[in-house]
Amino acid sequence: VFQDESNATETREQKRQRAISKAVRQAELKRLRIAQEIQREQEEIEVQLKELEARGVLIEKALRGESEQHNSK
């Protein structure tokens, strides 16, 4: 009977350890997914920023071109 209780205790401890390991793995995977999502969003924002900068350059050039035309008249 004592041996059965010892085995049951060991089995419970093994189950507890497996549950803890699983929880740790799941937490790591969740952190990884979140990090990947943040990185993807950051890349999208960087693309948008470059597009806006290019548009800004064109607008600045157009404004300077208009100012130069007004000054030369």
Side-chain angles (χ1 to χ4, degrees):
V1 175
F2 181 72
Q3 184 65 26
D4 289 341
E5 288 178 15
S6 177
N7 287 341
T9 302
E10 184 177 328
T11 302
R12 272 183 265 148
E13 181 62 24
Q14 289 172 343
K15 286 181 182 180
R16 191 176 78 77
Q17 288 297 327
R18 281 196 300 270
I20 290 171
S21 295
K22 183 178 180 180
V24 168
R25 273 194 316 276
Q26 287 176 339
E28 288 174 5
L29 290 173
K30 183 177 180 179
R31 282 194 301 273
L32 179 61
R33 280 194 306 273
I34 291 170
Q36 288 173 333
E37 184 177 328
I38 290 170
Q39 186 174 9
R40 181 184 52 77
E41 289 176 9
Q42 180 182 3
E43 290 169 357
E44 290 174 0
I45 291 169
E46 288 173 355
V47 168
Q48 291 174 348
L49 178 62
K50 288 179 183 178
E51 291 171 355
L52 287 173
E53 287 175 343
R55 285 176 52 197
V57 167
L58 292 175
I59 291 170
E60 287 176 359
K61 286 180 180 179
L63 290 173
R64 278 197 300 264
E66 288 179 14
S67 295
E68 290 172 9
Q69 289 175 357
H70 290 300
N71 291 340
S72 61
K73 288 186 178 178

